[in-house]
Amino acid sequence: MSAVFAYSLVVSAVLLFLYPAVQLTVSKNNSFRFNRALLISVLLLSFTVPAILTFDTALSKSLSDTLPQVGKVMVESVALPDNYAGQSNYALPVIPILIAVYYSGIFALVMRSAYSLLVLSRLKRSCRKETYDGHSLYIHSDSRISPFSFGRAIFISEADKVGAIVRHESGHIDANHWADIFLAEISCILLWYNPFIWLYKNLIKINHEYEADSYVINNGVDISEYQHLLIAKALERREIHLTNSFATRSSGFRRRVLFMSEGKSPETKKLLGLLLLPSLAIAILAINQPLSAGVLSKIKDFHVSAQTEDANNPQTEIPQGEIPQESKKLSTAKLPSPIVDQAPFAEVVEYALKYAPELDAPINANVRVTINEKGKVIDTEVDGNYSDEFKIVIDDVLSELRFEPARDNGRPTQIRIVLPVRKK
């Protein structure tokens, strides 16, 4: 669940950087087929780039010649004061809330789409079916509903059964605009919190209307009469979600009417699409910055079930993922206390550092770790020469570890240890 949320954040970031270039290119061109190809390609690219980046990162996880070396654990202090205000190193406290809100939004939008399909199903059952030029017409009596197409069907009222309107909706069907709408709807559900995806969906839909209008005009309908028809049908009409409506009252309706009278835009304006290249480069650089990469890593690796179980029962043992080692596998639910047996703890940290591809800078640091009487890491401090990436990796590793409590005269107690890490 957290991995999907993290993936959606990366897609949203890519779309955020690409949208201005797309919007500029589409607004300056009335080559509607080109615009459509650009819109769909960029949307697919926004979902593909994050997957490629993740794949490349996975491939780069190989051991280098200069590996981090974890030194011997040193016990700095035992039995810290009871009022010690250690800071939890677990996943950001807002993460479970964000994940819950994210999936609540998805659920609400899925329900909205399901309701729209139910409304369409009810409307279809009340319609009279006819055939016009090879297309299925579903004729109803509600003149308040703007004519629209859905899939391979045209829904239209008796009062709207005009040749130009039917041709317009036929243009949607012949161009398979329903596929674009489906893709845009799925994207909006997955990225619902990103306002740019809704703007992007509007660009797709308004370009559909431009393309269908062009289809009508190319079939001999007078432009002036068609413009008046559009304006007349747009008044006091309601639309149905998931459809291509004939007289949609979107923010681009006025421009849609005026666009018909404009001549064909110069081919050179298509070159504006080249702005996508630097935009994509900037997006990739931004995603790979240490801060954004660290936050995304925390979200991706967050486990709701484990966090919830641990919050409800502080003494619950949370199984660790199997850590492959050259000599042994650390598969115990809890690691021994570092003051009893430091080897398993040092091996886990060393393994994590070896397989962190972003750690390419020298490291000469001491990691001070506070473990409370329940065996949880409650505070981490790093001093010395190290990079931000190193601190992120250390925080991620320690947030997952659980230890057997250290004991003083048989009683669990807090301890503070120092773990030296060196890398040339």
Side-chain angles (χ1 to χ4, degrees):
M1 295 178 68
S2 57
V4 175
F5 179 46
Y7 174 71
S8 75
L9 290 174
V10 183
V11 175
S12 291
V14 175
L15 189 65
L16 172 67
F17 285 97
L18 296 184
Y19 178 81
V22 174
Q23 199 278 335
L24 177 64
T25 305
V26 170
S27 65
K28 298 297 183 181
N29 278 280
N30 57 11
S31 178
F32 307 124
R33 289 187 179 180
F34 170 81
N35 290 346
R36 182 188 180 190
L38 180 71
L39 286 164
I40 299 304
S41 298
V42 170
L43 186 58
L44 293 175
L45 183 67
S46 298
F47 279 90
T48 304
V49 167
I52 294 176
L53 291 176
T54 302
F55 179 72
D56 289 343
T57 300
L59 286 181
S60 64
K61 289 185 177 179
S62 59
L63 292 175
S64 64
D65 293 333
T66 56
L67 299 176
Q69 300 296 320
V70 178
K72 183 178 291 187
V73 173
M74 296 176 288
V75 179
E76 189 170 86
S77 62
V78 180
L80 295 174
D82 293 337
N83 61 354
Y84 176 76
Q87 180 181 2
S88 174
N89 251 337
Y90 299 125
L92 296 172
V94 297
I95 291 179
I97 298 175
L98 291 176
I99 293 175
V101 171
Y102 173 67
Y103 280 100
S104 296
I106 288 180
F107 177 78
L109 290 177
V110 169
M111 290 299 99
R112 185 184 75 153
S113 296
Y115 176 75
S116 296
L117 291 174
L118 179 62
V119 171
L120 282 170
S121 178
R122 289 177 178 175
L123 179 63
K124 187 175 182 179
R125 288 197 297 269
S126 66
C127 290
R128 183 181 79 255
K129 184 177 180 181
E130 292 184 4
T131 301
Y132 178 88
D133 196 21
H135 298 94
S136 297
L137 299 182
Y138 289 88
I139 303 172
H140 56 83
S141 58
D142 192 349
S143 59
R144 297 172 301 171
I145 301 177
S146 179
F148 66 90
S149 60
F150 179 75
R152 309 296 300 177
I154 298 173
F155 291 79
I156 193 169
S157 68
E158 289 281 2
D160 292 327
K161 202 168 62 171
V162 180
I165 297 178
V166 176
R167 287 194 187 98
H168 176 95
E169 300 305 329
S170 299
H172 284 307
I173 293 176
D174 293 342
N176 293 313
H177 285 163
W178 64 268
D180 300 0
I181 295 296
F182 177 79
L183 177 61
E185 185 65 19
I186 294 296
S187 301
C188 285
I189 290 175
L190 293 176
L191 310 178
W192 62 266
Y193 54 85
N194 183 354
F196 287 95
I197 191 61
W198 299 98
L199 295 173
Y200 204 95
K201 179 183 177 181
N202 186 61
L203 283 180
I204 291 175
K205 294 190 73 171
I206 194 64
N207 189 72
H208 285 174
E209 300 308 320
Y210 290 153
E211 195 171 2
D213 291 341
S214 178
Y215 178 85
V216 174
I217 294 171
N218 290 337
N219 275 274
V221 176
D222 181 72
I223 294 179
S224 179
E225 292 182 3
Y226 185 64
Q227 288 172 326
H228 284 90
L229 178 64
L230 270 178
I231 296 171
K233 296 302 180 183
L235 299 175
E236 298 183 0
R237 294 299 180 93
R238 62 187 180 93
E239 304 170 37
I240 296 181
H241 180 56
L242 296 177
T243 65
N244 284 112
S245 295
F246 170 70
T248 176
R249 289 178 291 169
S250 66
S251 58
F253 179 73
R254 179 176 179 275
R255 185 168 180 270
R256 175 187 168 191
V257 173
L258 297 176
F259 222 18
M260 299 177 195
S261 302
E262 295 184 10
K264 187 174 178 61
S265 58
E267 291 293 314
T268 54
K269 287 192 175 183
K270 294 180 181 179
L271 296 177
L272 290 170
L274 294 176
L275 293 173
L276 289 167
L277 298 178
S279 300
L280 181 60
I282 295 172
I284 293 174
L285 288 174
I287 293 169
N288 284 312
Q289 288 300 305
L291 179 60
S292 55
V295 172
L296 290 170
S297 177
K298 279 186 174 291
I299 295 174
K300 183 178 179 181
D301 296 336
F302 178 81
H303 301 290
V304 176
S305 59
Q307 287 291 105
T308 304
E309 182 181 352
D310 187 62
N312 294 335
N313 184 4
Q315 295 184 357
T316 299
E317 296 184 358
I318 300 180
Q320 299 300 306
E322 191 176 87
I323 307 295
Q325 300 290 336
E326 295 178 2
S327 57
K328 73 188 245 184
K329 292 183 179 179
L330 299 176
S331 57
T332 55
K334 283 186 177 180
L335 297 178
S337 171
I339 64 174
V340 175
D341 183 4
Q342 63 179 263
F345 173 42
E347 288 175 2
V348 170
V349 175
E350 186 173 6
Y351 173 80
L353 295 177
K354 284 180 180 179
Y355 287 90
E358 62 271 25
L359 296 180
D360 53 359
I363 301 171
N364 185 11
N366 291 324
V367 182
R368 287 179 168 81
V369 183
T370 302
I371 304 172
N372 69 9
E373 67 277 3
K374 295 175 182 178
K376 298 179 182 180
V377 176
I378 61 172
D379 188 57
T380 302
E381 297 176 3
V382 182
D383 59 65
N385 181 24
Y386 63 95
S387 62
D388 292 339
E389 292 85 350
F390 171 73
K391 183 64 165 61
I392 291 171
V393 173
I394 285 294
D395 286 345
D396 286 341
V397 173
L398 298 182
S399 69
E400 298 292 331
L401 297 182
R402 301 293 185 272
F403 298 90
E404 292 291 342
R407 296 184 180 275
D408 183 18
N409 294 326
R411 297 181 59 184
T413 186
Q414 289 189 148
I415 62 172
R416 186 180 175 91
I417 63 174
V418 179
L419 185 68
V421 180
R422 306 289 184 262
K423 173 180 176 291
K424 295 180 180 180

